Amino acid sequence: MKMSILEVKKLQKIYTTRLGGHSVRALENVNFSVDQGEYVAIMGESGSGKTTLLNILAALDRPTSGSVILDGMDLTGVKENEMAAFRRKHLGFVFQEFNLLDTFSIKDNILLPLVLSRVPVSELQGKLDPIASALGISDILAKYPYEVSGGQKQRAAAARAIITGPKLLLADEPTGALDSKSTDSMLETFEQINKNGQTILMVTHSVKAASHAGRVLFIKDGEVYHQLYRGDADNEEFYRKITEALTVLVKNP
């Protein structure tokens, strides 16, 4: 029996403008859960609330009401001064723009979360080697980000995200800055990471990226409007189902 690693309950986010006190509802009564080891994609048009949702799940923003329970812990209860350490320990991040430090080698970029968490130096190489090997980047560890391709940068970013063994890997448009070949490679990497047991939640505009997930949540006007499960469908069939669902979503404002 699978257990939920993430539970989002009655989540609401209201932004109030500085002038006039005008309120904007970015999220309204969002409810869903993610099982341990699941690979979930979140899709929606610009302004649908998916970025706000991701920021709350990443503990970068706080909801107006509702709760986000990660492995039994309520993120809304984490104190501000403990937030950075909480994110390092429990969450992994892969961003569209890689966010690698150009003055650090690929190796040092990947090891940075462990160094910040004060993992003993004697343990670093043992944690790095199997991940670098699995993601096919062992031969570029001594290079710097500006010396490698976009696809290699993104695999390095993925290695950095999972080296701490996070409970949840959050990905924000991870293929957005990649060409077609690098996109294919990155999506294969995500599938591999997921098959190894990593729980992944990915926000994306890309139907192709979403078609590699096991389930797709569609956000519209700040709510979970619809969801699709892969079931026995292959990537091509799931791609078609997602495209059909998006078409319906657009036709029914």
Side-chain angles (χ1 to χ4, degrees):
M1 179 180 174
K2 288 190 175 183
M3 60 170 286
S4 294
I5 190 77
L6 177 71
E7 294 182 38
V8 177
K9 300 177 180 177
K10 298 182 179 179
L11 204 64
Q12 184 184 66
K13 180 64 179 181
I14 301 173
Y15 292 103
T16 304
T17 56
R18 291 181 181 178
L19 300 175
H22 180 64
S23 294
V24 177
R25 290 180 180 269
L27 296 175
E28 179 65 42
N29 196 32
V30 174
N31 296 276
F32 67 92
S33 63
V34 176
D35 287 341
Q36 173 73 49
E38 202 176 1
Y39 184 178
V40 178
I42 296 177
M43 301 193 78
E45 296 180 295
S46 295
S48 61
K50 62 185 186 300
T51 300
T52 299
L53 175 60
L54 185 72
N55 286 339
I56 291 174
L57 298 180
L60 295 169
D61 196 2
R62 292 186 182 271
T64 304
S65 61
S67 60
V68 177
I69 311 296
L70 177 64
D71 198 22
M73 298 174 293
D74 191 341
L75 269 62
T76 58
V78 179
K79 295 178 182 177
E80 204 66 45
N81 61 349
E82 298 172 351
M83 201 61 86
F86 176 88
R87 283 194 290 268
R88 272 200 308 274
K89 185 175 181 181
H90 301 291
L91 300 170
F93 302 92
V94 178
F95 304 95
Q96 179 175 337
E97 298 298 334
F98 319 126
N99 287 10
L100 299 174
L101 301 172
D102 275 336
T103 54
F104 280 32
S105 66
I106 296 295
K107 175 181 176 178
D108 289 340
N109 266 285
I110 296 170
L111 291 176
L112 185 58
L114 296 181
V115 173
L116 292 173
S117 298
R118 299 183 179 179
V119 172
V121 174
S122 59
E123 297 179 18
L124 296 181
Q125 198 68 41
K127 291 181 179 290
L128 173 65
D129 287 344
I131 290 175
S133 176
L135 298 188
I137 53 174
S138 298
D139 58 336
I140 64 164
L141 292 177
K143 294 187 176 183
Y144 288 80
Y146 54 83
E147 297 179 309
V148 303
S149 70
Q152 289 171 321
K153 287 179 187 177
Q154 198 60 299
R155 287 200 294 279
R160 179 187 58 189
I162 65 173
I163 199 165
T164 56
K167 291 184 171 69
L168 180 65
L169 176 62
L170 297 169
D172 185 10
E173 299 287 0
T175 62
L178 302 178
D179 59 28
S180 179
K181 184 178 178 182
S182 296
T183 291
D184 289 341
S185 176
M186 190 65 230
L187 293 175
E188 287 173 10
T189 296
F190 266 52
E191 283 190 354
Q192 182 181 345
I193 291 170
N194 177 243
K195 284 176 182 175
N196 289 337
Q198 178 65 60
T199 308
I200 301 174
L201 190 65
M202 172 178 64
V203 167
T204 184
H205 280 101
S206 167
V207 176
K208 183 174 185 178
S211 70
H212 285 251
R215 177 164 56 118
V216 181
L217 298 176
F218 298 91
I219 302 285
K220 184 175 181 180
D221 299 329
E223 297 186 68
V224 177
Y225 178 84
H226 183 54
Q227 65 176 330
L228 277 179
Y229 284 87
R230 168 186 292 278
D232 296 326
D234 59 19
N235 288 354
E236 189 175 333
E237 187 179 351
F238 200 34
Y239 183 104
R240 180 179 54 76
K241 288 182 177 180
I242 295 167
T243 301
E244 289 172 356
L246 285 172
T247 301
V248 172
L249 207 65
V250 171
K251 284 183 177 179
N252 293 289

